[in-house]
Amino acid sequence: MTNREIARTLDHIADILQFQEENPFKIKAYRQAANSIYHLDEDIAYLYEKGRLDEIPGVGKSIKSKIEELIEKGSLECYERLLTEVPPGLLDMLAIPGVGHKTIRVLYEQLGVTNRDELLQAAQEKRIRLLPGMGSKTEFSIIKGIEMLEQYSQKNTLGFVLPMGQKMLAFLKDMENVKAASLAGSIRRGRPLVTDLDIVVAADDEAAVRCRLSHYRGIKQITGSEAGHIHGFLQFNIPFEVIILKPGEYCLGLFLSTGSKQHLARLFPVGTPAGLESCRSEPDIYANLGLDFIPPELREDQGELEAAAAGELPVLIERGDLQGDLHCHSGWSDGASQLAELGEAARDMGYSYLAITDHSGSLAISGGLNQERLAAQGREIDQLNQQWEDFMFLKGTEVDIFRDGSLDYDAETLEKLDVVVASIHTCFQLDREKQTQRLIQAIKDDNVDIIGHLTGRLLNRRPPYELDMEEVLATAAKSKIILEINSHPDRLDIDAQLARQARDMGIKIAINSDAHLKNDLRLIHYGIINARRGWLGKEDVINTGSREAVIAYLKNNE
DNA sequence: GCCGTTTTCGGCCCGACTGTTTTCAGTCG
């Protein structure tokens, strides 16, 4: 049992208890434990072996015994029992925006709805509006929500699948017989949402690889096994496919398995030409075709072939180009790590600066800082900054943009800060005109440096809010505002396409982690992938600059 | 169900928004 599986099980228990209207604090306890386990540094099975389970915050006597049962037996009796007490489609329905536990309970009790399909049918038949407290708008938003989920139903975020892929890849590479191995397909191209996990392996002895794979604990089921090819499902029903090739076939095989289909179709309209089998690297293959090497992230038929032919591909940004991070949260608001820990983690990543941008006061649940606490935080930062020579915190905020476009701090407060990220966290439903004007007012504000997660989308969960993007980008370019690529794998906001469009208009980009705990600083990896997919080079990204350059840029822009 | 410099019981992030009401319940962040 992995950390994620155990966290998910505890979360499901919380969902069922909530549906059953159990004690809210008991429910909260399960969620808290699930959250801690999800974010653990160490493998929970290791903590179990060492007898250290009670070191996990939020894990007490009762939950500890449940974790032990899960690790020892692979299942949990009380969870199995709870599952029989509720409609089987319950957890699926919770994913619909605006539909919570209470709504599901009413739908179940009054209409007998037990899953998403039945709910959609009830909405289409206008039966939901007959229920107390629900009307035509609720009905409409349920239909919309289900349609959105259907769209994504077969996809998982890169942030969820990539770590599983890397683990499986490492397991295969660890084998002496394996000469080379790589992720392939959409996961190698770094798409934000992926349907399956593809791995290409080079080995002389195929049978040995098959044998090794059959011992991989991450595999839930093998559904097919033909020559050179194994497929099935990993944990959480993620489909996987492993292609086993002779070392001489590996390079071309990897290239073809990486795609995209559109990229390959443009390259080879009448089939793969002879002669490529002898290539020993992907750059060789492209050279053979008269093209510069095209990195996997660009292989989407978005003009990369023309650029490669003309020698005009950009030099893409790399993780090592970043010198700092301009958006993260500490224990002062809703972050889980203290300032000192964040500083050490950022230094370990080779950064020379990290902007602390906790929430502003109006975001009460996130422990938003009022002006007094912001000032107190500033004093702690001053103190900590004295201990490092090669690193410093920048003082910042993620200030809330109110419904009317005004900001949660006054100008005087904002002027004193090094970095002002302004973001929308409320009123996602405003109409296009109002939402656009709201954002534009913030963009035009002299004290705002960066707009955080511009579109507000959450992959698989929430569509972006309505915006006139042309107007927003035009204003951003004119105001010299920086747009953020928020690296959280559930956001990746702005997306690659928008990032490329912004870059073409001369808008600078900041690649930020929006970390809420020290380990999440490493989520920056996903932002880098996203930026590469948006054709961004080092020069397009503000936080590739030195500390002095970034501070100077932000000051001059005011 | 967890936790403790308010410690073995009694408390446990809270306010805004939405859709439905006509004063509020549910959801969300």
Side-chain angles (χ1 to χ4, degrees), chain A residues 315-331:
Chain A
V315 177
L316 298 181
I317 185 167
E318 292 178 10
R319 158 70 184 84
D321 293 328
L322 288 190
Q323 298 204 37
D325 187 333
L326 296 174
H327 182 175
C328 84
H329 299 268
S330 76

Side-chain angles (χ1 to χ4, degrees), chain A residues 37 56 126 248 268 276 294 329 349 361 415 420 490:
Chain A
I37 292 164
I56 303 169
K126 303 191 196 304
F268 310 132
L276 294 182
I294 301 176
H329 299 268
M349 289 178 66
E415 275 167 12
V420 175
D490 289 346

Side-chain angles (χ1 to χ4, degrees), chain A residues 325-327 450 484-487 510-514 524 543:
Chain A
D325 187 333
L326 296 174
H327 182 175
I450 300 172
E484 173 182 83
I485 285 181
N486 188 296
S487 302
I511 303 177
N512 293 333
S513 68
D514 194 2
I524 206 79
N543 45 324

Side-chain angles (χ1 to χ4, degrees), chain A residues 424-466:
Chain A
I424 284 177
H425 293 105
T426 54
C427 303
F428 302 130
Q429 311 295 339
L430 283 186
D431 68 42
R432 186 179 162 95
E433 172 64 19
K434 286 196 182 114
Q435 199 73 280
T436 304
Q437 288 316 310
R438 172 191 194 184
L439 203 46
I440 280 181
Q441 188 176 327
I443 289 172
K444 285 182 172 170
D445 193 301
D446 286 342
N447 290 308
V448 175
D449 302 308
I450 300 172
I451 299 293
H453 45 74
L454 179 77
T455 78
R457 76 166 180 180
L458 290 176
L459 289 163
N460 274 354
R461 274 189 288 163
R462 187 174 73 201
Y465 30 74
E466 297 281 337

Side-chain angles (χ1 to χ4, degrees), chain A residues 179-224:
Chain A
K179 305 296 175 212
S182 170
L183 297 170
S186 55
I187 199 169
R188 182 168 182 233
R189 302 199 309 280
R191 285 189 77 90
L193 289 169
V194 295
T195 41
D196 54 6
L197 173 62
D198 300 314
I199 294 183
V200 179
V201 177
D204 286 315
D205 184 355
E206 185 182 328
V209 177
R210 286 176 175 279
C211 177
R212 169 98 173 152
L213 213 50
S214 68
H215 291 104
Y216 185 56
R217 287 176 65 189
I219 292 179
K220 192 172 161 192
Q221 188 190 4
I222 290 178
T223 52

Side-chain angles (χ1 to χ4, degrees), chain A residues 230-269:
Chain A
I230 300 171
H231 54 92
F233 293 95
L234 300 176
Q235 291 154 354
F236 304 114
N237 293 324
I238 308 289
F240 77 90
E241 190 174 342
V242 175
I243 297 170
I244 309 165
L245 298 169
K246 295 285 177 210
E249 302 165 343
Y250 173 74
C251 184
L252 183 59
L254 173 62
F255 168 69
L256 294 174
S257 303
T258 298
S260 66
K261 277 184 190 141
Q262 292 80 357
H263 178 82
L264 295 176
R266 283 283 313 283
L267 268 178
F268 310 132

Side-chain angles (χ1 to χ4, degrees), chain A residues 469-485:
Chain A
M469 198 50 81
E470 295 303 320
E471 196 179 343
V472 168
L473 289 186
T475 313
K478 205 171 156 193
S479 308
K480 291 200 161 38
I481 201 90
I482 300 164
L483 295 184
E484 173 182 83
I485 285 181

